[in-house]
Amino acid sequence: MENWKDIRSLNMEELTEEVAAVGEKRFRAKQVYGWLHQKLIRSGDEMKNVPAACREKLFESFPLYGVTEVERYVSGIDGTMKFLFALHDGNLIESVLMKYKHGNSVCISSQAGCRMGCRFCASTLPGLSRNMYPSEMLDQIYAIQRATGERVSHIVVMGTGEPFDNFEALCRMIEMISDENGLNISRRNITVSTCGIVPKIYAFADRFPQVTLAISLHAPNDTMRRELMPIANRYAMEELMEAASYYVHKTGRRITFEYSLVKDQNDHPEHAQMLAALVKGLNCHINLIPVNPVKERDYEQSGQKNIRAFLHILEKHHIQATVRREMGRDISAACGQLRKGYKERSGNG
Ligand code: SAH
């Protein structure tokens, strides 16, 4: 077992063992698990039918960690909500609730900070502070469900951090959120986005064939990708595309490629042609994201005309592609910007 010393990171099996280890009856584990993962309690005192002695013995070795709301922004345009949360050690992370016709989708963070170093991304600027525990990923969803009183039906792991750089915790989170003893969210409603850590793509496809995978591509060849994403120096495009193809064949599911359009870097018609050739024959969807300018970097968003032309070329090659609809435009929903902004405002950025 990983070194997760908090009660909400334990799965049912482990919790049952721990309950037995402190000399309590095994059925207590199911009760405690229900309070933690279905009733979404914030403090052990809320476990009404669990004797105080049992709670105390458990919490002595396993503290209850979670997230605490620091700030909340609500979009006047589309109801998107952004949450800035503090972890128990003061680290800040952010999560977003997006309301769609098909349900409520929560975008969660998987690490406090990030060490992948993608050039256009605000989350990575301060580096990686630490990995998050499964409980801290889960509690972002729980806290948002508590705060809004509305059921969360979809999860995207696209907030701060590289989920495949915190692989075991990510897997544990997916197992627990899709468990019938928890919120029982369908694995088909979960999407994980990676910058392309190739061996983990294989491992993930084997372990979670129902989960949608999104790969941050952002360039149609190695040279261009290396300029935007340091990870491209570790894994060549060819290896990445092989792994993508493995996912598609293993799972029978469509893969998503994210492609952030940066003015004059990767948004020319010939780049679209190259991209079309690269993904030809693969069951995929390309998500074009007009890059969100980050003030420390001088990357600019592509113009509407270039974005349309880019999309048109992909469509001509019969490649499914859409331009991502921007949610919560009025509340600066872009990756890592809330957390960074708060740190700067409070003088410790
Ligand atoms: N580490 C994961 C999840 C990160 S964020 C990954 O790399 O996929 C989700 C997506 O937003 C990624 O595709 C990421 O490259 C993209 N992104 C990050 N900063 C951005 C910005 N300023 N503008 C547009 N897209 C950005």
Side-chain angles (χ1 to χ4, degrees):
M1 181 180 138
E2 302 270 332
N3 194 24
W4 300 316
K5 274 289 186 189
D6 67 303
I7 197 161
R8 228 193 303 245
S9 292
L10 302 182
N11 61 24
M12 182 68 98
E13 212 183 338
E14 291 162 352
L15 185 65
T16 309
E17 277 170 33
E18 295 305 333
V19 164
V22 297
E24 293 287 338
K25 296 243 162 43
R26 286 174 171 263
F27 76 90
R28 292 280 175 221
K30 195 152 185 181
Q31 287 179 331
V32 171
Y33 199 92
W35 285 107
L36 292 170
H37 299 283
Q38 286 181 328
K39 300 197 180 90
L40 316 182
I41 54 157
R42 267 181 300 186
S43 128
D45 303 339
E46 292 174 58
M47 299 184 189
K48 303 248 185 304
N49 57 358
V50 181
C54 173
R55 292 192 316 240
E56 276 157 27
K57 277 187 270 179
L58 278 175
F59 285 120
E60 211 168 286
S61 358
F62 297 97
L64 179 59
Y65 289 157
V67 302
T68 309
E69 188 175 325
V70 178
E71 283 183 346
R72 185 191 305 192
Y73 299 86
V74 184
S75 166
I77 302 173
D78 52 30
T80 297
M81 288 185 185
K82 299 202 72 182
F83 294 83
L84 184 70
F85 289 123
L87 306 181
H88 72 276
D89 59 0
N91 266 300
L92 295 171
I93 55 130
E94 52 191 273
S95 324
V96 186
L97 168 70
M98 291 157 289
K99 298 185 171 195
Y100 295 104
K101 276 195 216 88
H102 63 254
N104 289 336
S105 180
V106 169
C107 173
I108 63 167
S109 296
S110 54
Q111 296 179 307
C114 185
R115 57 176 179 157
M116 294 298 128
C118 299
R119 305 264 183 264
F120 44 82
C121 178
S123 297
T124 204
L125 287 169
L128 176 68
S129 177
R130 71 164 169 88
N131 269 333
M132 286 171 66
Y133 305 127
S135 57
E136 293 169 328
M137 285 188 238
L138 290 168
D139 206 37
Q140 295 171 61
I141 302 156
Y142 298 174
I144 290 177
Q145 191 157 304
R146 279 194 304 258
T148 59
E150 286 179 37
R151 189 182 140 74
V152 172
S153 57
H154 290 69
I155 298 163
V156 295
V157 188
M158 284 193 189
T160 298
E162 167 49 45
F164 284 1
D165 192 34
N166 188 13
F167 193 71
E168 282 309 318
L170 169 81
C171 293
R172 171 65 61 99
M173 180 281 289
I174 295 173
E175 281 161 6
M176 290 171 79
I177 201 75
S178 58
D179 180 11
E180 60 183 8
N181 295 302
L183 288 188
N184 201 6
I185 295 177
S186 165
R187 290 189 184 178
R188 293 178 194 286
N189 292 356
I190 302 177
T191 301
V192 173
S193 175
T194 178
C195 65
I197 301 182
V198 166
K200 295 293 192 301
I201 296 176
Y202 288 96
F204 195 76
D206 290 342
R207 196 150 158 187
F208 297 110
Q210 309 92 337
V211 173
T212 299
L213 186 65
I215 294 182
S216 299
L217 203 56
H218 305 321
N221 61 40
D222 277 316
T223 317
M224 289 171 64
R225 197 161 187 264
R226 284 175 188 150
E227 275 177 25
L228 292 170
M229 307 175 74
I231 192 74
N233 293 302
R234 186 128 60 100
Y235 303 107
M237 187 66 101
E238 199 182 337
E239 290 175 82
L240 182 61
M241 296 311 289
E242 260 172 40
S245 168
Y246 178 84
Y247 168 86
V248 169
H249 293 110
K250 173 89 193 182
T251 66
R253 298 174 70 78
R254 194 174 73 168
I255 198 163
T256 298
F257 291 113
E258 290 150 295
Y259 193 104
S260 296
L261 287 160
V262 186
K263 188 176 174 187
D264 291 333
Q265 289 260 329
N266 63 2
D267 69 339
H268 292 171
E270 66 263 30
H271 301 146
Q273 302 278 6
M274 279 192 258
L275 178 60
L278 183 72
V279 303
K280 193 169 184 275
L282 191 65
N283 183 16
C284 71
H285 178 265
I286 295 184
N287 210 336
L288 298 171
I289 316 169
V291 81
N292 253 302
V294 173
K295 71 171 189 297
E296 287 78 2
R297 305 275 190 247
D298 51 8
Y299 294 129
E300 277 178 59
Q301 209 172 78
S302 307
Q304 275 306 317
K305 228 176 99 202
N306 286 17
I307 297 176
R308 289 288 133 208
F310 201 97
L311 180 65
H312 188 65
I313 292 169
L314 295 177
E315 283 169 346
K316 242 182 24 207
H317 285 86
H318 307 290
I319 289 160
Q320 298 175 47
T322 44
V323 178
R324 182 182 286 177
R325 188 156 62 98
E326 207 181 341
M327 304 287 283
R329 190 155 27 88
D330 51 335
I331 51 170
S332 140
C335 326
Q337 302 203 351
L338 209 60
R339 169 172 181 265
K340 230 182 119 282
Y342 182 83
K343 282 194 175 171
E344 282 162 7
R345 282 198 311 280
S346 54
N348 54 5

